[in-house]
Amino acid sequence: MMMGLRREDSLLIALSWITFSGFTLGFNARIRVNRENAEFLSFQTPSRNRTGILKLIRDPYSENIYAGTLHDLYILNSEKPPALKPVNVSIFDLECQERPEDCEYSISLLKEGRNGNPLFMCKTGTEFTKCCDVSSEHVPVNCTEPWHPSHISEPSLHVGDSLYYTLAIRNNGQTVLSGLYRWSMERPTLPLSTQNEQRYVKILANQGYLPLDGKVYSFYIEKNWDQNPETPVWIPLVSQICLADRGGNKALLHNRWTSMLTARLFCGDEKNHLSYTELLDVAVLEDTEWQNTTIYTLFKNEYNLRAVCVYKMSDILHVFRSNEFTSATDPFSSPRPGECVQNSQALSPALLRFMGNRPELKAWVTPAQNPLLFSHHHYTHLQVDRVESSNSENGYHDVLLMSLDSGKVHKILDQDGKPFIIAEYEPFKTRTHISSMLLDSTTKKLFVSSSSEVIQIDLRNCSMYGNQCQPCVMARDPYCIWDWTECSHNNRSLKQDVNYGNEFICEKDDRTIRKRHTLSIVSEDSIFFLKCPMESQHASYAWYHQGMRRECDLIERDCILLFLKISSMQEGVYECIASENGYNWTVVEKYVLVSSGTDTRTSHVVLTCFLFLIYVIY
Ligand SMILES: *[C@@H]1O[C@H](CO)[C@@H](O)[C@H](O)[C@H]1NC(C)=O
Ligand SMILES: *[C@@H]1O[C@H](CO)[C@@H](O)[C@H](O)[C@H]1NC(C)=O
Ligand SMILES: *[C@@H]1O[C@H](CO)[C@@H](O)[C@H](O)[C@H]1NC(C)=O
Ligand SMILES: *[C@@H]1O[C@H](CO)[C@@H](O)[C@H](O)[C@H]1NC(C)=O
Ligand SMILES: *[C@@H]1O[C@H](CO)[C@@H](O)[C@H](O)[C@H]1NC(C)=O
Ligand SMILES: *[C@@H]1O[C@H](CO)[C@@H](O)[C@H](O)[C@H]1NC(C)=O
Ligand SMILES: *[C@@H]1O[C@H](CO)[C@@H](O)[C@H](O)[C@H]1NC(C)=O
């Protein structure tokens, strides 16, 4: 596929693509939402000098959020006022009393709980690791000590009583086998050996209907053994194993996977010879029908450009069923390599040897649609939400939430392979690194953390789109609709136009013409200016006076009309009109009255006009 592509070619193509896409609509966020025009709930960790927040977790049984650092745990609950409070989980109390000299245990794994417990947590000390369910009273229960001691880490997944987790080879010379592990009924299953550096991003499971249907999928990247500078540094892969896999026999693949198949992921644009290989994040929209599960992936290429590729689970399953391997033809008929069997220890030595070489399928997993390409936004994390919608063919819209390396967050509409950046949230006061992002898709709240702060973004707050129909509709925000009085959160019954093209929505609505008609009284010959906030970065703004268009002076994010020496000739109504994609709307309307200072009659005129205006408006 992309193998023959030379680096210079792809650089040229990448650059020409940037130049091209730089002019397309949706390149910049339409609206900026920061602490000046919005409120964010913000929570500081009490002790600011320890290692920062690394992970946010939602209790699956309540709306509580947990924030974990390397050593500490905090809870954010709905008490009034909500606050981030420290929590003690004394997993190692006994050991610590016995050997007080090494009481330093770090949190090596923190994940959402099971069996009614809010959390699951592993702590690692110098000697070993202990993992426990954490009850709502924050008491450790059902503790176990996984066999592989020191570096149990993310990503991980519980399937039934088994914990699947991953290890990455570290570069500091420690010989730890990287790959997918399982701890189940006090027994480990280990990865197949590899010398290549790996980074795991996501684990998914499908339990299936029958005992032999269950499978686990992991998404990861592996350092390319081919050091040729013309080949990519990272290779993105997906692997599949059987839940029923019990390892091989004493002689071959003892306690190791006997069912693991791997396949290459392709993210890019074959026609334009673009390929992205460094997988950064994966977000999954699980469907009741497993085949229809959608997998969103965030990739980076060698030029630090980002792309989002969308895969269908059905395409991944299709590749794993394709049965043709990159290695020499396999002679196996039944069971086939990777087929789930009742007793993997009874597999033939030849098949076990074949599986021990980590067989890779010839076919690659390709995306279901053209990738979403981003030329200058450096995204780091990805979450996806599915928002119900009355005007979409599918009945929903997918919204991407991606953090940027500057600490901002983009809300992006994925519409038929075209990204539209609805809003750029700037929740933090200063430029910062976002360490974790958590979407609560039931409350539609997004939580982002820096090292010392957790901030909540209410995705359904539509107040930044104002109280007129046009800017609400132009926002194309599937969370927001025009409900005839205000831009309010989408409860599926009213209108939104994420597609454009339905220009008449607002024209039919007389009530939207509620102009902010205000009066300014200015003395003659003075300096005066009118100000109009340019909320949409996709719109053009101008002032109109007696049918004449007056261009703005741009000052920060305002469209300013400046009068150096105002005269009575310039009296009258001034309208600031925004036009975007064929829609025009009045943002500000001002009545300017010029008074000749000493003239006492002015005050009467002003008063009369003022009363008249009030009469007209109300
Ligand atoms: C939405 O945000 C505005 C300002 O940011 C705030 O005043 C308002 O209370 C919020 N609305 C809701 C429903 O949270
Ligand atoms: C944090 O600060 C306190 C006092 O400011 C200090 O005693 C403590 O050692 C610091 N802890 C770390 C981990 O730096
Ligand atoms: C946590 O434990 C420490 C020492 O064991 C204690 O000082 C602190 O008060 C405890 N905090 C909470 C919230 O229980
Ligand atoms: C402990 O584990 C068992 C078996 O998984 C489970 O049935 C039980 O509910 C767990 N207990 C608690 C308190 O979570
Ligand atoms: C799964 O996808 C197929 C093809 O898109 C569709 O026909 C089917 O209705 C979907 N199933 C569910 C449960 O949504
Ligand atoms: C949706 O919003 C409209 C207007 O705010 C309201 O009349 C209607 O009852 C809401 N529907 C639901 C299901 O909440
Ligand atoms: C919107 O304004 C532009 C000028 O900015 C004008 O050319 C256009 O005709 C207007 N469209 C409508 C529908 O009024």
Side-chain angles (χ1 to χ4, degrees), residues 89-91 132-135 138-143:
V89 184
S90 39
I91 288 184
C132 310
D133 293 310
V134 179
S135 75
H138 301 133
V139 176
V141 287
N142 271 357
C143 291

Side-chain angles (χ1 to χ4, degrees), residues 94-144:
L94 277 178
E95 292 84 349
C96 200
Q97 277 163 19
E98 282 167 20
R99 289 195 315 272
E101 63 278 10
D102 47 25
C103 281
E104 263 305 298
Y105 297 96
S106 55
I107 301 173
S108 45
L109 192 76
L110 188 64
K111 59 197 279 83
E112 52 286 340
R114 50 180 184 165
N115 306 331
N117 299 305
L119 273 183
F120 179 84
M121 185 189 227
C122 298
K123 280 193 174 185
T124 298
T126 44
E127 299 289 318
F128 61 97
T129 292
K130 202 158 146 185
C131 299
C132 310
D133 293 310
V134 179
S135 75
S136 44
E137 292 79 37
H138 301 133
V139 176
V141 287
N142 271 357
C143 291
T144 150

Side-chain angles (χ1 to χ4, degrees), residues 391-412:
N391 76 348
S392 142
E393 230 172 79
N394 320 318
Y396 61 77
H397 292 290
D398 287 347
V399 177
L400 311 182
L401 298 151
M402 292 204 275
S403 61
L404 288 144
D405 56 0
S406 56
K408 297 174 186 173
V409 173
H410 279 176
K411 188 196 238 182
I412 300 173

